[in-house]
Every structure is written in C-alpha cells, then in structure tokens.
Amino acid sequence: EEPTAPTGDEPTSRLCVKNLPKYITEAKLREHFSAKGEVTDVKVLKTRDGQSRQMGFVGFKTTEDASAALRYFDRTFMDATRIMVEYARKYKDPTLARPWSKHSEGSSAHDKKAGTGAKGGEVDGSMAEATALAAKLKTRAGAGAAQGKAGKGKKGLLPDVQDDPK
C-alpha cells in the first residue's frame, strides 16, 4: 500500500526535509537518509552569507525508496531537533500555500507595494483615500511652514501651549 503524503501530493523520488539542525552538512544528511535507500543527491539550503536555512532536499533512486524514507523519518529526530519530511514539490506549484512576504510575487502585500491588484493599478478604495490624505497633509504642512516664515512664529503653530511655562 502506497502512503499518502501529509500534504496530499503525489509521491516523488525527492523529499523535502524541514527543521534540520543548523550545523548539518550535506554529507551528514546523505549518511542519515541512506539508511532507507540509495540517495542520488542532497542539497542543504543556505542563506547568502552561508548560514543554514534549516531545510534541505534528498533525492532517491526510486519513488519506493523515497516513500519508505518518508514513512521512516517524518517527525523523527536528528540529534535533538525534530525534522519534518514530505514529498518535494515543483517550484511555483499551484498547490503550494499562497506566499505572505511583501517580497514574494503573488502575495497581497507585494501587490500593494507594486501598486497592482485585482482592480489593476489600484488595490482597493482605501489606497486612493490614503493617497488623497497624504496629499492633504503635505498641503497643510506646507501652509504651516509658510505661516511660520511670515512671522506668526510659535503662536500659529502651537496655540494650546503658548502660555505653558514648560
């Protein structure tokens, strides 16, 4: 009986391993997973400055080996860290969760930042209102500065606290 992946994906010969210990190397990951089949490739993801992202991929020769490894290693421990194992999915797979970062294309935060959205160029009515409010505040700030230069001084800017000795 073929196991079903926790995410409902089709079984593949590649596994995604999450929550790896920060110090794990590709050699140690290969050695760990080779107990359940022939490992063809291993990749530990790292940041630009070389630190581990605590995530990696392990490729097996067959889908059956990968399925056996998934059943065996999912929610087990590498040293003192509990790892999660699932079938790897293709990049930009439509079944993936929607991105949430403002830097990720496809997230609502990215759309707002870029000025695109469901209404094309305007995310919703509140964006137009916010722009109008910002323009109004700029106008007021400019008028206040002009009054200050005209000689009104602190009286025009702070009428409520002009008699306060502090």
Side-chain angles (χ1 to χ4, degrees):
E1 180 179 314
E2 191 65 32
T4 56
T7 57
D9 292 336
E10 292 295 316
T12 66
S13 63
R14 248 174 113 66
L15 298 177
C16 176
V17 186
K18 297 177 181 178
N19 202 33
L20 290 168
K22 286 189 176 202
Y23 54 83
I24 209 75
T25 62
E26 290 181 359
K28 285 183 180 180
L29 189 61
R30 177 183 294 271
E31 180 185 334
H32 187 76
F33 276 83
S34 64
K36 283 296 167 185
E38 187 178 339
V39 176
T40 58
D41 61 290
V42 175
K43 177 73 176 167
V44 174
L45 301 181
K46 297 185 185 260
T47 61
R48 289 179 192 208
D49 60 351
Q51 293 184 358
S52 173
R53 293 187 64 197
Q54 294 183 271
M55 180 177 166
F57 294 95
V58 180
F60 286 89
K61 188 169 185 175
T62 66
T63 304
E64 292 77 25
D65 287 347
S67 296
L70 184 138
R71 282 193 307 269
Y72 186 79
F73 289 114
D74 188 32
R75 297 189 210 162
T76 60
F77 289 84
M78 282 187 83
D79 296 334
T81 305
R82 182 177 229 172
I83 61 172
M84 293 176 288
V85 182
E86 60 187 45
Y87 292 111
R89 292 176 271 182
K90 292 183 181 185
Y91 183 69
K92 294 203 174 188
D93 186 346
T95 62
L96 289 172
R98 190 175 67 80
W100 54 267
S101 170
K102 69 180 179 181
H103 304 290
S104 299
E105 233 177 276
S107 70
S108 57
H110 180 271
D111 291 345
K112 284 180 185 177
K113 182 178 162 193
T116 60
K119 295 183 181 179
E122 185 181 304
V123 176
D124 57 16
S126 64
M127 182 67 118
E129 291 171 21
T131 305
L133 181 61
K136 189 186 282 187
L137 290 173
K138 266 187 182 176
T139 305
R140 282 187 184 169
Q147 285 179 355
K149 288 179 185 174
K152 292 215 173 189
K154 291 182 182 177
K155 288 183 182 181
L157 295 176
L158 304 169
D160 295 339
V161 293
Q162 66 186 2
D163 295 330
D164 190 6
K166 294 180 184 178

